[in-house]
């Protein structure tokens, strides 16, 4: 894979390998009546995949309602790809691949196959059918497409006066109106609950009694939501890089900003000692700060001249450069050096080309309560983040989601979080000690909601750890096949 896409390649490789660990579970206790709104039962339509990279696999489609409260009012397609277990005689079930929040699981599977998924997956691909499902609104399923830009030039997510704030809100409203015109009611029904109900339709369509779940980042919340809505229908749950939505949205942003800032500081410490860092021998933090200040004064162009980048743009792109120390840290240093020389192109690459930013933003506006509605409230939170995150300034995913939802016309419908989920299996939660996307404490918060769960800690800075750590792979495959969890307090150091 070309170097500019190495971040995508490594992270999606991890995600896909991880995701390969998601299996279907068994129906047990019934969910509350309002959660069990029945939709017309639909079968998955399977055929041999024509895509050469999916040779020997089956491609399928499944019709599901747009709105489960009105199941006959319209439907959309879900796209699936199934790779049969290598050892059919000892097959243990289906492994459901899903990343959610704008990520195409099918494209993740494609990347995993390119790097030889069976060679490193072990029991995952040997004992389980792998089924990749693109969530509603995403990728090969009925996708959300909008014609208006998500964030055009001249719009800032860090407004410093009321005029900038008003311009941001007006743009968000216009963007939402465009998306509603282009996509209809699907825009209002890409929330966690609707997506979880789709996976119950997938379970039924597959004819499985129980699922095994492998969720990464957003899909840790999706898996927990599914387990709560459909108790007893999961056999196992592997959750990698769990998120914590038990706190207030503002506190969640503060914690994410602090985690990203810590990751940045670890990156600069690495630069001071590693010759793999293009800034080795310099003060990397000072170089970065100077670059951001320069770009805020005079935006830096890309090589093709198609756009210029402000300091805000550079800060916003940095968090995803911090997620895989062995791959993205060297790339971040090179991006800084390149921008110092007058080419900011490396800060424009989408760090995950299986992910659509629009398809990320719209669910965020539905799944998270909106604690900020005024310029004064936003200013106070922005100032808090500047203290917590002096280098990145709080330019993290959850801040972008919050500011992108200001003025959004569709009300938020966040799921209730924090109480024990009865009927869920004890989960294996894999959490790094230092991660730019979420703190280690988020794994503990997730475990507290899933009785009997264990947090497997991995010492390090990385996201999607199945590919990187033999210790994590061994623990994951042992759990998937035998449902045996590691001892509480276990830490992987490889």
């Amino acid at each position: 894979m070309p170097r500019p896409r190495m971040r995508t390649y490594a992270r999606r490789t991890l995600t896909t390998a991880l995701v390969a660990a998601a299996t279907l579970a068994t129906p047990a206790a019934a969910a509350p009546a309002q959660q069990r709104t029945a939709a017309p039962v639909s079968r998955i339509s399977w055929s041999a995949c024509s895509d050469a990279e999916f040779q020997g696999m089956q491609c399928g489609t499944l019709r599901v309602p747009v709105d489960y409260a009105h199941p006959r009012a319209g439907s959309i397609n879900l796209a699936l790809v199934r790779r049969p277990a290598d050892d059919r005689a000892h097959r243990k079930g289906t492994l459901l691949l899903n990343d959610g929040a704008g990520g195409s699981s099918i494209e993740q599977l494609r990347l995993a196959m390119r790097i030889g998924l069976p060679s490193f997956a072990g029991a995952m691909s040997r004992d389980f059918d792998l089924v990749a499902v693109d969530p509603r609104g995403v990728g090969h399923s009925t996708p959300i497409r909008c014609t208006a830009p998500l964030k055009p030039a001249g719009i800032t997510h860090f407004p410093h006066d009321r005029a900038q704030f008003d311009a941001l809100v007006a743009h968000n409203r216009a963007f939402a109106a465009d998306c509603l015109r282009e996509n209809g009611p699907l825009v209002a029904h890409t929330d966690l609950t609707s997506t979880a109900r789709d996976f119950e339709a997938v379970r039924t369509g597959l004819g499985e009694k129980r699922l095994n779940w492998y969720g990464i980042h957003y899909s840790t919340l999706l898996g927990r939501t599914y387990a709560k809505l459909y108790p007893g229908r999961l056999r196992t749950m592997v959750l990698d890089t769990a998120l914590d939505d038990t706190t207030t949205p503002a506190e969640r942003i503060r914690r994410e900003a602090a985690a990203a800032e810590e990751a940045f500081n670890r990156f600069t410490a690495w630069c001071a000692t590693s010759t793999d860092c293009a800034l080795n021998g310099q003060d990397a933090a000072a170089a970065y700060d100077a670059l951001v200040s320069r770009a805020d004064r005079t935006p830096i162009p890309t090589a093709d001249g198609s756009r210029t980048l402000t300091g805000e743009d550079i800060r916003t792109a940095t968090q995803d450069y911090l997620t895989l120390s062995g791959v993205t840290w060297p790339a971040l240093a090179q991006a800084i050096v390149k921008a110092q020389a007058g080419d900011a192109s490396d800060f424009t690459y989408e760090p995950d080309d299986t992910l659509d930013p629009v398809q990320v933003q719209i669910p965020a506006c539905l799944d998270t309560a909106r604690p900020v509605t005024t310029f004064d409230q936003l200013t106070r939170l922005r100032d808090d983040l500047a203290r917590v995150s002096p280098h990145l300034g709080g330019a993290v995913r959850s801040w972008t989601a919050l500011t992108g939802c200001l003025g959004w016309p569709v009300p938020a419908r966040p799921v209730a979080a924090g109480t024990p989920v009865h009927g869920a299996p004890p989960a294996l939660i894999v959490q790094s000690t230092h991660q730019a996307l979420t703190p280690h404490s988020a794994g503990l918060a997730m475990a507290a909601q899933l009785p009997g769960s264990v947090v497997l800690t991995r010492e390090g800075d990385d996201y999607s750890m199945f590919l990187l750590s033999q210790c994590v792979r061994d623990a994951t495959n042992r759990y998937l096949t035998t449902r045996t969890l590691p001892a509480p307090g276990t830490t992987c150091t490889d």
Side-chain angles (χ1 to χ4, degrees), residues 7-83:
R7 285 186 292 165
T8 300
Y9 169 78
R11 205 167 80 187
R12 273 317 166 201
T13 288
L14 270 42
T15 301
T16 328
L18 249 15
V19 185
T23 17
L24 295 144
T26 295
Q34 71 271 22
Q35 297 174 343
R36 298 197 319 272
T37 305
V41 176
S42 180
R43 291 180 176 272
I44 300 174
S45 176
W46 293 108
S47 61
C49 293
S50 58
D51 191 317
E53 291 185 288
F54 293 146
Q55 185 175 6
M57 303 186 199
Q58 294 173 302
C59 290
T61 58
L62 175 67
R63 299 291 291 177
V64 294
V66 174
D67 180 358
Y68 279 89
H70 302 92
R72 301 185 188 278
S75 62
I76 54 174
N77 279 326
L78 299 180
L80 308 87
V81 173
R82 178 165 62 186
R83 179 190 184 277

Coordinates of all heavy atoms in Angstrom, one line a residue, residues 7-83:
R7 N -1.2 4.7 7.2 CA -2.0 4.8 8.4 C -3.3 4.0 8.2 O -3.7 3.2 9.1 CB -2.4 6.2 8.6 CG -1.3 7.1 9.2 CD -1.8 8.4 9.5 NE -2.2 9.2 8.3 CZ -2.9 10.3 8.3 NH1 -3.4 10.7 9.4 NH2 -3.2 10.9 7.2
T8 N -4.0 4.2 7.1 CA -5.2 3.5 6.8 C -5.0 2.0 6.8 O -5.8 1.3 7.4 CB -5.7 4.0 5.4 OG1 -6.0 5.4 5.5 CG2 -7.0 3.2 5.1
Y9 N -4.0 1.6 6.1 CA -3.7 0.2 5.9 C -3.5 -0.5 7.3 O -4.1 -1.5 7.6 CB -2.4 0.1 5.1 CG -1.8 -1.3 5.0 CD1 -2.4 -2.2 4.2 CD2 -0.7 -1.6 5.8 CE1 -1.8 -3.5 4.1 CE2 -0.1 -2.8 5.7 CZ -0.7 -3.8 4.9 OH -0.1 -5.0 4.8
A10 N -2.7 0.1 8.1 CA -2.4 -0.5 9.4 C -3.6 -0.5 10.3 O -3.9 -1.5 10.9 CB -1.2 0.2 10.1
R11 N -4.3 0.6 10.4 CA -5.4 0.7 11.3 C -6.5 -0.2 10.8 O -7.2 -0.9 11.6 CB -5.9 2.1 11.4 CG -6.5 2.3 12.7 CD -6.7 3.7 13.0 NE -7.9 4.2 12.3 CZ -8.3 5.4 12.3 NH1 -7.6 6.4 12.8 NH2 -9.3 5.8 11.6
R12 N -6.8 -0.2 9.5 CA -7.9 -1.0 9.0 C -7.6 -2.5 9.1 O -8.4 -3.3 9.3 CB -8.2 -0.6 7.6 CG -9.2 0.5 7.6 CD -10.2 0.3 8.7 NE -11.0 1.4 9.0 CZ -11.6 1.5 10.1 NH1 -11.6 0.6 11.0 NH2 -12.4 2.5 10.4
T13 N -6.3 -2.8 8.9 CA -5.8 -4.1 9.1 C -6.2 -4.6 10.5 O -6.8 -5.7 10.6 CB -4.3 -4.2 8.9 OG1 -4.0 -4.0 7.6 CG2 -3.7 -5.5 9.4
L14 N -5.9 -3.8 11.4 CA -6.2 -4.1 12.8 C -7.7 -4.3 13.0 O -8.2 -5.2 13.5 CB -5.7 -3.0 13.7 CG -4.3 -3.2 14.2 CD1 -3.3 -3.6 13.1 CD2 -3.8 -1.9 14.9
T15 N -8.4 -3.3 12.5 CA -9.8 -3.3 12.7 C -10.4 -4.5 12.1 O -11.3 -5.2 12.7 CB -10.4 -2.0 12.1 OG1 -9.9 -0.9 12.7 CG2 -11.9 -2.0 12.3
T16 N -10.0 -4.8 10.9 CA -10.6 -6.0 10.3 C -10.3 -7.3 11.0 O -11.2 -8.1 11.1 CB -10.1 -6.1 8.8 OG1 -9.8 -4.8 8.4 CG2 -11.1 -6.7 7.9
A17 N -9.0 -7.4 11.4 CA -8.7 -8.6 12.1 C -9.5 -8.7 13.3 O -10.0 -9.8 13.7 CB -7.2 -8.6 12.4
L18 N -9.6 -7.6 14.0 CA -10.4 -7.5 15.2 C -11.8 -7.8 14.9 O -12.5 -8.7 15.6 CB -10.4 -6.1 15.7 CG -9.6 -5.8 17.0 CD1 -8.7 -6.8 17.3 CD2 -9.1 -4.4 17.0
V19 N -12.3 -7.1 14.0 CA -13.7 -7.2 13.7 C -14.0 -8.7 13.3 O -15.1 -9.2 13.5 CB -14.1 -6.3 12.5 CG1 -15.6 -6.4 12.3 CG2 -13.6 -5.0 12.8
A20 N -13.0 -9.3 12.7 CA -13.2 -10.7 12.3 C -13.7 -11.5 13.5 O -14.1 -12.6 13.4 CB -12.0 -11.3 11.8
A21 N -13.6 -11.0 14.7 CA -13.9 -11.7 15.9 C -15.3 -11.5 16.4 O -15.6 -11.8 17.5 CB -12.9 -11.4 17.0
A22 N -16.2 -11.1 15.6 CA -17.6 -10.8 16.1 C -18.5 -11.9 15.7 O -18.8 -12.1 14.6 CB -18.1 -9.5 15.5
T23 N -19.1 -12.7 16.6 CA -20.0 -13.8 16.3 C -21.4 -13.5 16.9 O -21.6 -12.8 17.8 CB -19.6 -15.1 16.9 OG1 -18.6 -14.9 17.8 CG2 -19.1 -16.1 15.9
L24 N -22.4 -14.2 16.3 CA -23.8 -14.0 16.7 C -24.2 -14.9 17.9 O -23.6 -15.9 18.2 CB -24.6 -14.4 15.5 CG -24.4 -13.5 14.3 CD1 -24.5 -14.3 13.0 CD2 -25.4 -12.4 14.4
A25 N -25.1 -14.4 18.7 CA -25.5 -15.0 19.9 C -26.9 -15.6 20.0 O -27.6 -15.6 19.1 CB -25.3 -14.0 21.0
T26 N -27.4 -16.0 21.2 CA -28.6 -16.7 21.4 C -29.8 -15.9 22.0 O -29.6 -15.1 22.9 CB -28.4 -17.8 22.4 OG1 -27.5 -18.7 21.9 CG2 -29.6 -18.5 22.8
P27 N -31.0 -16.0 21.5 CA -32.1 -15.3 22.1 C -32.4 -15.8 23.5 O -32.4 -17.0 23.7 CB -33.3 -15.5 21.1 CG -32.8 -16.6 20.2 CD -31.4 -16.8 20.4
A28 N -32.6 -14.9 24.4 CA -33.0 -15.3 25.7 C -34.1 -14.4 26.2 O -35.2 -14.4 25.6 CB -31.8 -15.3 26.6
A29 N -33.8 -13.8 27.3 CA -34.9 -12.9 27.9 C -35.4 -11.9 26.9 O -34.6 -11.3 26.2 CB -34.3 -12.2 29.2
A30 N -36.6 -11.6 27.0 CA -37.2 -10.6 26.0 C -36.9 -9.2 26.5 O -36.8 -8.9 27.6 CB -38.7 -10.8 26.0
A31 N -36.7 -8.3 25.5 CA -36.5 -6.9 25.7 C -37.8 -6.2 25.9 O -38.9 -6.8 25.6 CB -35.8 -6.3 24.5
P32 N -37.9 -5.0 26.5 CA -39.1 -4.3 26.7 C -39.9 -4.2 25.4 O -39.3 -4.1 24.3 CB -38.7 -2.9 27.2 CG -37.4 -3.2 27.9 CD -36.7 -4.3 27.1
A33 N -41.2 -4.1 25.5 CA -42.0 -4.1 24.3 C -41.7 -3.1 23.3 O -41.6 -3.3 22.1 CB -43.5 -4.0 24.7
Q34 N -41.4 -1.8 23.8 CA -41.1 -0.8 22.8 C -39.7 -1.0 22.1 O -39.5 -0.4 21.1 CB -41.0 0.6 23.5 CG -39.8 0.8 24.4 CD -40.1 0.3 25.9 OE1 -40.9 -0.5 26.1 NE2 -39.3 0.8 26.8
Q35 N -38.9 -1.9 22.7 CA -37.6 -2.2 22.0 C -37.8 -3.4 21.0 O -36.8 -3.6 20.3 CB -36.6 -2.6 23.1 CG -36.3 -1.4 24.1 CD -35.4 -1.9 25.2 OE1 -35.2 -3.1 25.4 NE2 -34.8 -0.9 25.9
R36 N -38.9 -4.0 21.0 CA -39.0 -5.2 20.2 C -40.0 -5.0 19.0 O -40.6 -5.9 18.5 CB -39.5 -6.4 21.0 CG -38.6 -6.8 22.1 CD -39.0 -8.2 22.6 NE -40.4 -8.5 22.7 CZ -41.1 -8.2 23.8 NH1 -40.6 -7.6 24.8 NH2 -42.4 -8.4 23.8
T37 N -40.1 -3.7 18.6 CA -41.0 -3.4 17.5 C -40.6 -4.3 16.3 O -39.5 -4.3 15.8 CB -40.8 -2.0 17.0 OG1 -41.1 -1.1 18.2 CG2 -41.8 -1.7 15.9
A38 N -41.5 -5.2 16.0 CA -41.2 -6.2 15.0 C -41.3 -5.6 13.6 O -42.1 -4.8 13.2 CB -42.2 -7.4 15.1
A39 N -40.3 -6.0 12.8 CA -40.3 -5.6 11.4 C -40.7 -6.8 10.5 O -40.5 -8.0 11.0 CB -38.9 -5.1 11.0
P40 N -41.2 -6.6 9.3 CA -41.4 -7.8 8.5 C -40.1 -8.6 8.3 O -39.0 -8.0 8.0 CB -41.8 -7.1 7.1 CG -42.3 -5.8 7.5 CD -41.5 -5.4 8.7
V41 N -40.2 -9.9 8.5 CA -39.0 -10.7 8.4 C -38.5 -10.8 7.0 O -39.3 -11.0 6.1 CB -39.3 -12.2 8.9 CG1 -38.1 -13.0 8.8 CG2 -39.7 -12.1 10.4
S42 N -37.2 -10.6 6.8 CA -36.6 -10.6 5.5 C -35.5 -11.5 5.4 O -34.7 -11.7 6.4 CB -36.1 -9.1 5.1 OG -35.6 -9.1 3.9
R43 N -35.3 -12.2 4.3 CA -34.2 -13.1 4.2 C -33.0 -12.4 3.5 O -33.2 -11.5 2.8 CB -34.6 -14.3 3.2 CG -35.7 -15.2 3.9 CD -36.0 -16.3 2.9 NE -36.9 -17.3 3.5 CZ -36.5 -18.4 4.2 NH1 -35.2 -18.6 4.3 NH2 -37.4 -19.2 4.7
I44 N -31.8 -12.9 3.8 CA -30.6 -12.4 3.2 C -30.5 -13.1 1.8 O -30.7 -14.3 1.6 CB -29.4 -12.7 4.0 CG1 -29.5 -12.1 5.4 CG2 -28.1 -12.3 3.2 CD1 -28.3 -12.5 6.3
S45 N -30.4 -12.2 0.8 CA -30.2 -12.7 -0.6 C -28.7 -12.9 -0.9 O -28.0 -11.9 -1.0 CB -30.8 -11.7 -1.6 OG -30.6 -12.1 -2.9
W46 N -28.3 -14.1 -1.0 CA -26.8 -14.5 -1.1 C -26.5 -14.8 -2.6 O -27.4 -15.4 -3.3 CB -26.4 -15.6 -0.3 CG -26.5 -15.4 1.2 CD1 -27.4 -15.9 2.1 CD2 -25.5 -14.6 2.0 NE1 -27.1 -15.5 3.4 CE2 -25.9 -14.7 3.3 CE3 -24.4 -13.9 1.7 CZ2 -25.3 -14.1 4.4 CZ3 -23.7 -13.2 2.7 CH2 -24.2 -13.3 4.0
S47 N -25.3 -14.5 -3.0 CA -24.8 -14.9 -4.3 C -23.3 -15.0 -4.2 O -22.7 -14.4 -3.3 CB -25.2 -14.0 -5.4 OG -24.8 -12.7 -5.2
A48 N -22.7 -15.7 -5.1 CA -21.2 -15.7 -5.1 C -20.7 -14.3 -5.4 O -21.1 -13.7 -6.3 CB -20.7 -16.7 -6.1
C49 N -19.7 -13.9 -4.6 CA -19.1 -12.5 -4.8 C -18.4 -12.5 -6.2 O -17.6 -13.4 -6.5 CB -18.1 -12.2 -3.7 SG -18.9 -12.0 -2.1
S50 N -18.6 -11.5 -7.0 CA -17.9 -11.3 -8.2 C -16.6 -10.6 -8.1 O -15.8 -10.7 -9.0 CB -18.8 -10.5 -9.2 OG -19.2 -9.3 -8.7
D51 N -16.4 -10.0 -7.0 CA -15.1 -9.3 -6.7 C -14.0 -10.3 -6.5 O -14.1 -11.2 -5.7 CB -15.3 -8.5 -5.4 CG -14.2 -7.5 -5.2 OD1 -13.0 -7.9 -5.4 OD2 -14.5 -6.3 -4.7
A52 N -12.9 -10.1 -7.3 CA -11.8 -11.1 -7.2 C -11.2 -11.2 -5.8 O -10.7 -12.3 -5.5 CB -10.8 -10.7 -8.2
E53 N -11.2 -10.1 -5.1 CA -10.6 -10.1 -3.7 C -11.5 -10.9 -2.7 O -11.0 -11.2 -1.6 CB -10.3 -8.7 -3.3 CG -9.2 -8.1 -4.0 CD -8.8 -6.7 -3.5 OE1 -9.6 -5.8 -3.7 OE2 -7.7 -6.6 -2.9
F54 N -12.7 -11.1 -3.1 CA -13.6 -11.9 -2.3 C -13.9 -13.3 -2.9 O -15.0 -13.8 -2.7 CB -14.9 -11.1 -2.0 CG -14.8 -9.9 -1.2 CD1 -15.6 -8.8 -1.4 CD2 -13.8 -9.8 -0.2 CE1 -15.4 -7.6 -0.7 CE2 -13.7 -8.7 0.6 CZ -14.5 -7.6 0.3
Q55 N -13.0 -13.8 -3.6 CA -13.2 -15.1 -4.3 C -13.5 -16.2 -3.2 O -12.8 -16.3 -2.2 CB -11.9 -15.5 -5.0 CG -12.0 -16.8 -5.8 CD -10.8 -17.1 -6.7 OE1 -9.8 -16.4 -6.5 NE2 -10.9 -18.1 -7.5
G56 N -14.5 -17.0 -3.5 CA -14.9 -18.0 -2.6 C -15.8 -17.6 -1.5 O -16.2 -18.4 -0.6
M57 N -16.2 -16.3 -1.5 CA -17.0 -15.8 -0.5 C -18.4 -15.5 -1.0 O -18.6 -15.5 -2.3 CB -16.5 -14.5 0.1 CG -15.1 -14.6 0.7 SD -14.5 -13.1 1.5 CE -12.7 -13.4 1.6
Q58 N -19.4 -15.2 -0.2 CA -20.7 -14.9 -0.6 C -21.0 -13.5 -0.3 O -20.7 -12.9 0.8 CB -21.7 -15.8 0.2 CG -21.6 -17.3 -0.1 CD -22.5 -18.1 0.8 OE1 -22.4 -18.1 2.0 NE2 -23.4 -18.9 0.2
C59 N -21.7 -12.8 -1.2 CA -22.2 -11.4 -1.0 C -23.7 -11.4 -0.9 O -24.4 -12.2 -1.6 CB -21.7 -10.6 -2.2 SG -20.0 -10.3 -2.3
G60 N -24.2 -10.6 0.0 CA -25.6 -10.6 0.3 C -26.2 -9.3 0.6 O -25.4 -8.3 0.8
T61 N -27.5 -9.2 0.5 CA -28.2 -8.0 0.8 C -29.4 -8.4 1.7 O -30.0 -9.5 1.6 CB -28.7 -7.2 -0.4 OG1 -29.6 -8.1 -1.2 CG2 -27.6 -6.7 -1.3
L62 N -29.8 -7.4 2.6 CA -30.9 -7.6 3.5 C -31.7 -6.4 3.6 O -31.1 -5.3 3.8 CB -30.3 -8.0 4.9 CG -31.4 -8.2 6.0 CD1 -32.3 -9.4 5.7 CD2 -30.7 -8.3 7.3
R63 N -33.0 -6.4 3.4 CA -33.8 -5.3 3.5 C -34.2 -5.1 5.0 O -34.7 -6.1 5.6 CB -35.1 -5.4 2.7 CG -34.8 -5.5 1.2 CD -34.3 -4.3 0.5 NE -35.3 -3.2 0.5 CZ -35.0 -2.0 0.0 NH1 -33.8 -1.7 -0.4 NH2 -36.0 -1.1 0.0
V64 N -34.1 -3.9 5.5 CA -34.5 -3.6 6.9 C -35.3 -2.3 6.8 O -35.2 -1.4 5.9 CB -33.3 -3.4 7.8 CG1 -32.6 -4.8 8.0 CG2 -32.4 -2.3 7.4
P65 N -36.2 -2.0 7.8 CA -37.0 -0.8 7.8 C -36.1 0.4 8.1 O -35.1 0.3 8.8 CB -37.9 -1.0 9.0 CG -37.9 -2.4 9.3 CD -36.6 -2.9 8.9
V66 N -36.4 1.6 7.5 CA -35.7 2.8 7.8 C -36.1 3.2 9.3 O -35.2 3.5 10.0 CB -36.2 3.9 6.9 CG1 -35.6 5.3 7.3 CG2 -35.8 3.7 5.4
D67 N -37.3 3.1 9.6 CA -37.8 3.4 10.9 C -38.5 2.2 11.6 O -39.6 1.8 11.1 CB -38.8 4.6 10.8 CG -39.4 5.1 12.1 OD1 -39.0 4.5 13.2 OD2 -40.1 6.1 12.1
Y68 N -37.9 1.7 12.6 CA -38.5 0.5 13.2 C -39.8 0.7 13.9 O -40.5 -0.2 14.2 CB -37.4 -0.2 14.2 CG -36.4 -1.0 13.4 CD1 -35.2 -0.4 13.0 CD2 -36.6 -2.4 13.2 CE1 -34.3 -1.2 12.3 CE2 -35.7 -3.1 12.5 CZ -34.5 -2.6 12.1 OH -33.6 -3.3 11.4
A69 N -40.1 2.0 14.2 CA -41.4 2.3 14.8 C -42.5 2.2 13.8 O -43.7 2.1 14.1 CB -41.4 3.7 15.5
H70 N -42.1 2.4 12.5 CA -43.1 2.3 11.4 C -42.4 1.4 10.3 O -42.0 1.9 9.2 CB -43.3 3.7 10.8 CG -43.9 4.6 11.9 ND1 -43.1 5.5 12.6 CD2 -45.2 4.8 12.3 CE1 -43.8 6.2 13.5 NE2 -45.1 5.8 13.3
P71 N -42.4 0.1 10.6 CA -41.6 -0.8 9.7 C -42.0 -0.9 8.3 O -41.3 -1.3 7.4 CB -41.6 -2.1 10.4 CG -42.9 -2.0 11.3 CD -43.0 -0.6 11.7
R72 N -43.3 -0.5 8.0 CA -43.8 -0.7 6.6 C -43.7 0.7 5.8 O -44.2 0.8 4.7 CB -45.2 -1.2 6.6 CG -45.3 -2.6 7.3 CD -46.6 -3.2 7.2 NE -46.7 -4.4 8.0 CZ -46.3 -5.6 7.6 NH1 -45.7 -5.7 6.4 NH2 -46.4 -6.7 8.4
A73 N -43.1 1.7 6.5 CA -43.1 3.0 5.8 C -41.9 3.2 4.9 O -41.8 4.3 4.3 CB -43.0 4.1 6.9
G74 N -41.0 2.3 4.8 CA -39.9 2.4 3.9 C -38.7 1.5 4.3 O -38.7 1.1 5.5
S75 N -37.9 1.1 3.4 CA -36.8 0.2 3.8 C -35.5 0.6 3.1 O -35.5 1.4 2.1 CB -37.2 -1.2 3.4 OG -37.4 -1.4 2.0
I76 N -34.4 0.1 3.6 CA -33.1 0.3 3.0 C -32.4 -1.1 2.9 O -32.9 -2.1 3.4 CB -32.2 1.2 3.9 CG1 -32.2 0.7 5.3 CG2 -32.8 2.6 3.8 CD1 -31.2 1.4 6.2
N77 N -31.3 -1.1 2.2 CA -30.5 -2.3 2.0 C -29.3 -2.3 3.0 O -28.6 -1.3 3.1 CB -29.9 -2.4 0.6 CG -31.0 -3.0 -0.4 OD1 -31.8 -3.8 0.0 ND2 -30.9 -2.5 -1.6
L78 N -29.0 -3.5 3.6 CA -27.8 -3.7 4.2 C -26.9 -4.6 3.3 O -27.5 -5.6 2.8 CB -27.9 -4.4 5.6 CG -28.7 -3.6 6.6 CD1 -28.8 -4.4 7.9 CD2 -28.1 -2.2 6.9
A79 N -25.7 -4.3 3.2 CA -24.8 -5.2 2.4 C -23.9 -6.0 3.3 O -23.4 -5.6 4.3 CB -23.9 -4.3 1.5
L80 N -23.7 -7.3 2.9 CA -22.9 -8.3 3.7 C -22.0 -9.0 2.8 O -22.2 -9.3 1.6 CB -23.8 -9.3 4.4 CG -25.0 -8.8 5.3 CD1 -26.3 -8.6 4.4 CD2 -25.3 -9.8 6.3
V81 N -20.8 -9.4 3.4 CA -19.9 -10.4 2.8 C -19.6 -11.5 3.8 O -19.3 -11.2 4.9 CB -18.6 -9.7 2.3 CG1 -17.6 -10.8 1.8 CG2 -18.9 -8.7 1.2
R82 N -19.7 -12.8 3.4 CA -19.5 -13.9 4.3 C -18.3 -14.7 3.8 O -18.3 -15.2 2.7 CB -20.7 -14.7 4.4 CG -20.5 -16.0 5.3 CD -21.8 -16.6 5.7 NE -22.6 -17.1 4.6 CZ -23.8 -17.6 4.7 NH1 -24.4 -17.6 5.9 NH2 -24.5 -18.0 3.7
R83 N -17.3 -14.9 4.7 CA -16.2 -15.8 4.4 C -16.4 -17.1 5.3 O -16.4 -17.0 6.5 CB -14.9 -15.2 4.7 CG -13.7 -16.1 4.5 CD -12.4 -15.5 5.0 NE -11.2 -16.3 4.6 CZ -10.9 -17.4 5.3 NH1 -11.5 -17.8 6.4 NH2 -9.8 -18.1 4.9

